[in-house]
Amino acid sequence: MRYRFNEKHPAVFLDRDGVLNEIVFNDDIEQMDSPQKLSEFKPFPEAADAIRKIKEKGYYVFLATNQPGAAKGKSKLKTLYDINTKFCEQLSEQGIDIDGVFMCPHYPKMSEKTTEKFLIKICDCRKPKPGLLLKPKDIYNIDYENSYMIGDSFTDIVAGQAAGVKTIFIGELKCDACKKLCDIEPDHIVHNVSEAVGILP
């Protein structure tokens, strides 16, 4: 554990929904959404193996995920934490340990369904701000210059660039849209997390 502090070490920051697990259809909003219940959480078949390979390449692995469901009144904060815990337990059963899970539960606007009003705030951790990627630097001596952010949203890429890491975008069509909206360009574009792992040195 000493190298956490004494030697710089590269990391891979992974968005969760759409990268490591399926997104689901939300009947209330009639569009695809993050899982809001434990029963809705379904990891992609390749997710565990991808994380294992990232670890074998010598990277720290951190989840960096926006989860505003409770702030929007679609779920409970405890449930959002339980979903992350369930995923980590499933990985642990396969001998895979994630180094940290960093979740932003905040949202800047309240909805009619919001009950956990303390989650309504403008924060530094909601992507595209880089707060989630910078949080572990107080515990780990991270080599950000040689680290990566892997995500399927322009917010992941903006956050990665702001944190000073290389970026890998999953999903070509969405990337075309993000270029037009934000004039950003990831370092790599791939179809899934398995392809992303193949890019890592």
Side-chain angles (χ1 to χ4, degrees), residues 7 22 38 40 59-60 80 103 108 119 130 137 146 157 168 170 177-180 185 191-192:
E7 298 177 13
E22 298 178 11
L38 277 168
E40 294 177 339
Y59 294 89
Y60 294 132
L80 300 181
M103 181 183 83
L119 297 174
K137 73 177 183 179
N146 292 300
I157 306 306
I168 302 177
I170 294 178
C178 81
K179 287 181 184 178
K180 293 178 182 177
E185 186 173 351
H191 292 95
N192 54 50

PDB file of all heavy atoms in Angstrom, residues 7 22 38 40 59-60 80 103 108 119 130 137 146 157 168 170 177-180 185 191-192:
ATOM      1  N   GLU A   7       4.922   6.648  -4.811  1.00  0.00           N
ATOM      2  CA  GLU A   7       5.146   6.583  -6.246  1.00  0.00           C
ATOM      3  C   GLU A   7       3.877   6.960  -7.002  1.00  0.00           C
ATOM      4  O   GLU A   7       2.792   6.505  -6.662  1.00  0.00           O
ATOM      5  CB  GLU A   7       5.567   5.157  -6.656  1.00  0.00           C
ATOM      6  CG  GLU A   7       6.858   4.688  -6.029  1.00  0.00           C
ATOM      7  CD  GLU A   7       7.181   3.249  -6.427  1.00  0.00           C
ATOM      8  OE1 GLU A   7       6.524   2.742  -7.367  1.00  0.00           O
ATOM      9  OE2 GLU A   7       8.064   2.649  -5.810  1.00  0.00           O
ATOM     10  N   GLU A  22     -26.105  -1.803 -18.365  1.00  0.00           N
ATOM     11  CA  GLU A  22     -27.176  -1.387 -19.262  1.00  0.00           C
ATOM     12  C   GLU A  22     -27.913  -0.177 -18.697  1.00  0.00           C
ATOM     13  O   GLU A  22     -28.067  -0.040 -17.487  1.00  0.00           O
ATOM     14  CB  GLU A  22     -28.187  -2.527 -19.443  1.00  0.00           C
ATOM     15  CG  GLU A  22     -27.615  -3.783 -20.063  1.00  0.00           C
ATOM     16  CD  GLU A  22     -28.655  -4.891 -20.163  1.00  0.00           C
ATOM     17  OE1 GLU A  22     -29.854  -4.614 -19.943  1.00  0.00           O
ATOM     18  OE2 GLU A  22     -28.260  -6.032 -20.456  1.00  0.00           O
ATOM     19  N   LEU A  38     -32.415  -1.660  -7.554  1.00  0.00           N
ATOM     20  CA  LEU A  38     -31.430  -2.745  -7.575  1.00  0.00           C
ATOM     21  C   LEU A  38     -31.755  -3.770  -8.658  1.00  0.00           C
ATOM     22  O   LEU A  38     -30.864  -4.286  -9.329  1.00  0.00           O
ATOM     23  CB  LEU A  38     -31.376  -3.432  -6.209  1.00  0.00           C
ATOM     24  CG  LEU A  38     -30.507  -2.774  -5.141  1.00  0.00           C
ATOM     25  CD1 LEU A  38     -30.788  -3.409  -3.785  1.00  0.00           C
ATOM     26  CD2 LEU A  38     -29.037  -2.909  -5.497  1.00  0.00           C
ATOM     27  N   GLU A  40     -32.979  -3.325 -11.471  1.00  0.00           N
ATOM     28  CA  GLU A  40     -32.738  -2.826 -12.825  1.00  0.00           C
ATOM     29  C   GLU A  40     -31.261  -2.862 -13.214  1.00  0.00           C
ATOM     30  O   GLU A  40     -30.929  -2.689 -14.385  1.00  0.00           O
ATOM     31  CB  GLU A  40     -33.242  -1.382 -12.951  1.00  0.00           C
ATOM     32  CG  GLU A  40     -34.749  -1.236 -12.836  1.00  0.00           C
ATOM     33  CD  GLU A  40     -35.200   0.215 -12.883  1.00  0.00           C
ATOM     34  OE1 GLU A  40     -34.362   1.110 -12.609  1.00  0.00           O
ATOM     35  OE2 GLU A  40     -36.382   0.442 -13.180  1.00  0.00           O
ATOM     36  N   TYR A  59      -3.152  -0.236 -13.533  1.00  0.00           N
ATOM     37  CA  TYR A  59      -3.865   1.001 -13.236  1.00  0.00           C
ATOM     38  C   TYR A  59      -4.716   0.868 -11.973  1.00  0.00           C
ATOM     39  O   TYR A  59      -5.248  -0.203 -11.680  1.00  0.00           O
ATOM     40  CB  TYR A  59      -4.812   1.368 -14.387  1.00  0.00           C
ATOM     41  CG  TYR A  59      -4.138   1.731 -15.677  1.00  0.00           C
ATOM     42  CD1 TYR A  59      -3.823   0.755 -16.617  1.00  0.00           C
ATOM     43  CD2 TYR A  59      -3.843   3.060 -15.992  1.00  0.00           C
ATOM     44  CE1 TYR A  59      -3.216   1.079 -17.819  1.00  0.00           C
ATOM     45  CE2 TYR A  59      -3.238   3.396 -17.194  1.00  0.00           C
ATOM     46  CZ  TYR A  59      -2.928   2.404 -18.104  1.00  0.00           C
ATOM     47  OH  TYR A  59      -2.327   2.728 -19.300  1.00  0.00           O
ATOM     48  N   TYR A  60      -4.857   1.981 -11.241  1.00  0.00           N
ATOM     49  CA  TYR A  60      -5.961   2.064 -10.305  1.00  0.00           C
ATOM     50  C   TYR A  60      -7.244   2.091 -11.125  1.00  0.00           C
ATOM     51  O   TYR A  60      -7.258   2.572 -12.265  1.00  0.00           O
ATOM     52  CB  TYR A  60      -5.911   3.360  -9.498  1.00  0.00           C
ATOM     53  CG  TYR A  60      -4.748   3.529  -8.560  1.00  0.00           C
ATOM     54  CD1 TYR A  60      -4.014   4.719  -8.554  1.00  0.00           C
ATOM     55  CD2 TYR A  60      -4.407   2.536  -7.648  1.00  0.00           C
ATOM     56  CE1 TYR A  60      -2.966   4.908  -7.675  1.00  0.00           C
ATOM     57  CE2 TYR A  60      -3.355   2.719  -6.759  1.00  0.00           C
ATOM     58  CZ  TYR A  60      -2.629   3.901  -6.782  1.00  0.00           C
ATOM     59  OH  TYR A  60      -1.597   4.093  -5.900  1.00  0.00           O
ATOM     60  N   LEU A  80     -29.306   4.327  -4.508  1.00  0.00           N
ATOM     61  CA  LEU A  80     -28.212   4.619  -5.438  1.00  0.00           C
ATOM     62  C   LEU A  80     -26.878   4.099  -4.899  1.00  0.00           C
ATOM     63  O   LEU A  80     -26.063   3.560  -5.650  1.00  0.00           O
ATOM     64  CB  LEU A  80     -28.139   6.125  -5.696  1.00  0.00           C
ATOM     65  CG  LEU A  80     -29.388   6.763  -6.310  1.00  0.00           C
ATOM     66  CD1 LEU A  80     -29.172   8.255  -6.532  1.00  0.00           C
ATOM     67  CD2 LEU A  80     -29.777   6.077  -7.618  1.00  0.00           C
ATOM     68  N   MET A 103     -19.319   9.041  -6.510  1.00  0.00           N
ATOM     69  CA  MET A 103     -20.634   9.301  -7.069  1.00  0.00           C
ATOM     70  C   MET A 103     -21.099  10.708  -6.715  1.00  0.00           C
ATOM     71  O   MET A 103     -20.991  11.130  -5.559  1.00  0.00           O
ATOM     72  CB  MET A 103     -21.645   8.285  -6.530  1.00  0.00           C
ATOM     73  CG  MET A 103     -23.055   8.463  -7.066  1.00  0.00           C
ATOM     74  SD  MET A 103     -24.236   7.293  -6.339  1.00  0.00           S
ATOM     75  CE  MET A 103     -24.641   8.124  -4.792  1.00  0.00           C
ATOM     76  N   PRO A 108     -28.871  20.532  -9.790  1.00  0.00           N
ATOM     77  CA  PRO A 108     -29.063  21.950  -9.470  1.00  0.00           C
ATOM     78  C   PRO A 108     -30.517  22.404  -9.345  1.00  0.00           C
ATOM     79  O   PRO A 108     -30.777  23.465  -8.778  1.00  0.00           O
ATOM     80  CB  PRO A 108     -28.369  22.660 -10.640  1.00  0.00           C
ATOM     81  CG  PRO A 108     -28.386  21.677 -11.755  1.00  0.00           C
ATOM     82  CD  PRO A 108     -28.254  20.329 -11.109  1.00  0.00           C
ATOM     83  N   LEU A 119     -30.004  17.338  -1.521  1.00  0.00           N
ATOM     84  CA  LEU A 119     -29.232  16.957  -2.710  1.00  0.00           C
ATOM     85  C   LEU A 119     -29.282  18.023  -3.800  1.00  0.00           C
ATOM     86  O   LEU A 119     -28.547  17.928  -4.786  1.00  0.00           O
ATOM     87  CB  LEU A 119     -29.755  15.632  -3.272  1.00  0.00           C
ATOM     88  CG  LEU A 119     -29.623  14.413  -2.353  1.00  0.00           C
ATOM     89  CD1 LEU A 119     -30.301  13.205  -2.975  1.00  0.00           C
ATOM     90  CD2 LEU A 119     -28.152  14.113  -2.068  1.00  0.00           C
ATOM     91  N   PRO A 130     -14.615  18.505 -12.922  1.00  0.00           N
ATOM     92  CA  PRO A 130     -13.670  17.396 -12.703  1.00  0.00           C
ATOM     93  C   PRO A 130     -13.597  16.871 -11.278  1.00  0.00           C
ATOM     94  O   PRO A 130     -12.752  16.037 -10.967  1.00  0.00           O
ATOM     95  CB  PRO A 130     -12.333  18.015 -13.103  1.00  0.00           C
ATOM     96  CG  PRO A 130     -12.473  19.457 -12.695  1.00  0.00           C
ATOM     97  CD  PRO A 130     -13.919  19.814 -12.975  1.00  0.00           C
ATOM     98  N   LYS A 137      -7.171  12.031  -5.286  1.00  0.00           N
ATOM     99  CA  LYS A 137      -5.778  12.485  -5.221  1.00  0.00           C
ATOM    100  C   LYS A 137      -5.313  12.746  -3.794  1.00  0.00           C
ATOM    101  O   LYS A 137      -4.110  12.793  -3.530  1.00  0.00           O
ATOM    102  CB  LYS A 137      -5.566  13.727  -6.080  1.00  0.00           C
ATOM    103  CG  LYS A 137      -6.154  15.007  -5.525  1.00  0.00           C
ATOM    104  CD  LYS A 137      -5.806  16.180  -6.440  1.00  0.00           C
ATOM    105  CE  LYS A 137      -6.320  17.488  -5.866  1.00  0.00           C
ATOM    106  NZ  LYS A 137      -5.962  18.640  -6.719  1.00  0.00           N
ATOM    107  N   ASN A 146      -0.832  10.342 -17.275  1.00  0.00           N
ATOM    108  CA  ASN A 146      -0.910   9.045 -17.937  1.00  0.00           C
ATOM    109  C   ASN A 146      -2.157   8.254 -17.534  1.00  0.00           C
ATOM    110  O   ASN A 146      -2.189   7.033 -17.670  1.00  0.00           O
ATOM    111  CB  ASN A 146       0.353   8.230 -17.634  1.00  0.00           C
ATOM    112  CG  ASN A 146       1.581   8.828 -18.295  1.00  0.00           C
ATOM    113  OD1 ASN A 146       1.644   8.942 -19.513  1.00  0.00           O
ATOM    114  ND2 ASN A 146       2.553   9.238 -17.484  1.00  0.00           N
ATOM    115  N   ILE A 157     -16.075  13.377 -21.126  1.00  0.00           N
ATOM    116  CA  ILE A 157     -14.894  13.841 -21.849  1.00  0.00           C
ATOM    117  C   ILE A 157     -14.455  15.210 -21.349  1.00  0.00           C
ATOM    118  O   ILE A 157     -13.265  15.459 -21.130  1.00  0.00           O
ATOM    119  CB  ILE A 157     -15.174  13.883 -23.375  1.00  0.00           C
ATOM    120  CG1 ILE A 157     -15.684  12.520 -23.860  1.00  0.00           C
ATOM    121  CG2 ILE A 157     -13.915  14.296 -24.129  1.00  0.00           C
ATOM    122  CD1 ILE A 157     -14.799  11.343 -23.505  1.00  0.00           C
ATOM    123  N   ILE A 168     -11.338   8.531 -23.485  1.00  0.00           N
ATOM    124  CA  ILE A 168     -11.813   7.513 -24.428  1.00  0.00           C
ATOM    125  C   ILE A 168     -13.332   7.573 -24.434  1.00  0.00           C
ATOM    126  O   ILE A 168     -13.969   7.397 -23.391  1.00  0.00           O
ATOM    127  CB  ILE A 168     -11.330   6.108 -24.041  1.00  0.00           C
ATOM    128  CG1 ILE A 168      -9.799   6.065 -23.976  1.00  0.00           C
ATOM    129  CG2 ILE A 168     -11.848   5.071 -25.046  1.00  0.00           C
ATOM    130  CD1 ILE A 168      -9.235   4.715 -23.536  1.00  0.00           C
ATOM    131  N   ILE A 170     -17.009   6.214 -25.679  1.00  0.00           N
ATOM    132  CA  ILE A 170     -17.721   5.028 -26.146  1.00  0.00           C
ATOM    133  C   ILE A 170     -18.996   5.481 -26.859  1.00  0.00           C
ATOM    134  O   ILE A 170     -19.885   6.061 -26.226  1.00  0.00           O
ATOM    135  CB  ILE A 170     -18.062   4.087 -24.976  1.00  0.00           C
ATOM    136  CG1 ILE A 170     -16.775   3.525 -24.364  1.00  0.00           C
ATOM    137  CG2 ILE A 170     -18.973   2.956 -25.439  1.00  0.00           C
ATOM    138  CD1 ILE A 170     -16.988   2.632 -23.170  1.00  0.00           C
ATOM    139  N   ALA A 177     -22.463  14.357 -31.852  1.00  0.00           N
ATOM    140  CA  ALA A 177     -23.304  15.389 -31.253  1.00  0.00           C
ATOM    141  C   ALA A 177     -22.512  16.235 -30.275  1.00  0.00           C
ATOM    142  O   ALA A 177     -22.650  17.460 -30.249  1.00  0.00           O
ATOM    143  CB  ALA A 177     -24.497  14.746 -30.551  1.00  0.00           C
ATOM    144  N   CYS A 178     -21.673  15.592 -29.480  1.00  0.00           N
ATOM    145  CA  CYS A 178     -20.954  16.361 -28.458  1.00  0.00           C
ATOM    146  C   CYS A 178     -19.945  17.304 -29.098  1.00  0.00           C
ATOM    147  O   CYS A 178     -19.687  18.385 -28.584  1.00  0.00           O
ATOM    148  CB  CYS A 178     -20.288  15.439 -27.434  1.00  0.00           C
ATOM    149  SG  CYS A 178     -18.723  14.716 -27.896  1.00  0.00           S
ATOM    150  N   LYS A 179     -19.375  16.920 -30.237  1.00  0.00           N
ATOM    151  CA  LYS A 179     -18.449  17.815 -30.927  1.00  0.00           C
ATOM    152  C   LYS A 179     -19.157  19.088 -31.364  1.00  0.00           C
ATOM    153  O   LYS A 179     -18.635  20.190 -31.236  1.00  0.00           O
ATOM    154  CB  LYS A 179     -17.848  17.115 -32.148  1.00  0.00           C
ATOM    155  CG  LYS A 179     -16.814  16.049 -31.835  1.00  0.00           C
ATOM    156  CD  LYS A 179     -16.290  15.448 -33.126  1.00  0.00           C
ATOM    157  CE  LYS A 179     -15.332  14.302 -32.870  1.00  0.00           C
ATOM    158  NZ  LYS A 179     -14.865  13.680 -34.116  1.00  0.00           N
ATOM    159  N   LYS A 180     -20.375  18.927 -31.885  1.00  0.00           N
ATOM    160  CA  LYS A 180     -21.127  20.086 -32.350  1.00  0.00           C
ATOM    161  C   LYS A 180     -21.530  20.987 -31.196  1.00  0.00           C
ATOM    162  O   LYS A 180     -21.543  22.204 -31.304  1.00  0.00           O
ATOM    163  CB  LYS A 180     -22.376  19.618 -33.099  1.00  0.00           C
ATOM    164  CG  LYS A 180     -22.064  18.902 -34.408  1.00  0.00           C
ATOM    165  CD  LYS A 180     -23.333  18.408 -35.087  1.00  0.00           C
ATOM    166  CE  LYS A 180     -23.010  17.660 -36.366  1.00  0.00           C
ATOM    167  NZ  LYS A 180     -24.233  17.113 -37.006  1.00  0.00           N
ATOM    168  N   GLU A 185     -13.100  17.096 -28.369  1.00  0.00           N
ATOM    169  CA  GLU A 185     -12.725  15.899 -29.107  1.00  0.00           C
ATOM    170  C   GLU A 185     -11.963  14.957 -28.185  1.00  0.00           C
ATOM    171  O   GLU A 185     -10.939  15.331 -27.625  1.00  0.00           O
ATOM    172  CB  GLU A 185     -11.869  16.261 -30.321  1.00  0.00           C
ATOM    173  CG  GLU A 185     -11.556  15.074 -31.213  1.00  0.00           C
ATOM    174  CD  GLU A 185     -10.865  15.486 -32.488  1.00  0.00           C
ATOM    175  OE1 GLU A 185     -10.772  16.700 -32.755  1.00  0.00           O
ATOM    176  OE2 GLU A 185     -10.393  14.585 -33.210  1.00  0.00           O
ATOM    177  N   HIS A 191     -16.254   1.421 -29.526  1.00  0.00           N
ATOM    178  CA  HIS A 191     -17.635   0.953 -29.470  1.00  0.00           C
ATOM    179  C   HIS A 191     -18.053   0.459 -28.087  1.00  0.00           C
ATOM    180  O   HIS A 191     -19.238   0.488 -27.741  1.00  0.00           O
ATOM    181  CB  HIS A 191     -17.859  -0.169 -30.492  1.00  0.00           C
ATOM    182  CG  HIS A 191     -17.778   0.301 -31.910  1.00  0.00           C
ATOM    183  ND1 HIS A 191     -16.610   0.210 -32.651  1.00  0.00           N
ATOM    184  CD2 HIS A 191     -18.701   0.871 -32.722  1.00  0.00           C
ATOM    185  CE1 HIS A 191     -16.828   0.701 -33.863  1.00  0.00           C
ATOM    186  NE2 HIS A 191     -18.087   1.111 -33.932  1.00  0.00           N
ATOM    187  N   ASN A 192     -17.103  -0.029 -27.285  1.00  0.00           N
ATOM    188  CA  ASN A 192     -17.455  -0.574 -25.971  1.00  0.00           C
ATOM    189  C   ASN A 192     -16.231  -0.554 -25.061  1.00  0.00           C
ATOM    190  O   ASN A 192     -15.122  -0.206 -25.491  1.00  0.00           O
ATOM    191  CB  ASN A 192     -18.017  -1.996 -26.102  1.00  0.00           C
ATOM    192  CG  ASN A 192     -17.088  -2.916 -26.863  1.00  0.00           C
ATOM    193  OD1 ASN A 192     -15.892  -3.004 -26.565  1.00  0.00           O
ATOM    194  ND2 ASN A 192     -17.616  -3.606 -27.869  1.00  0.00           N
TER     195      ASN A 192
END
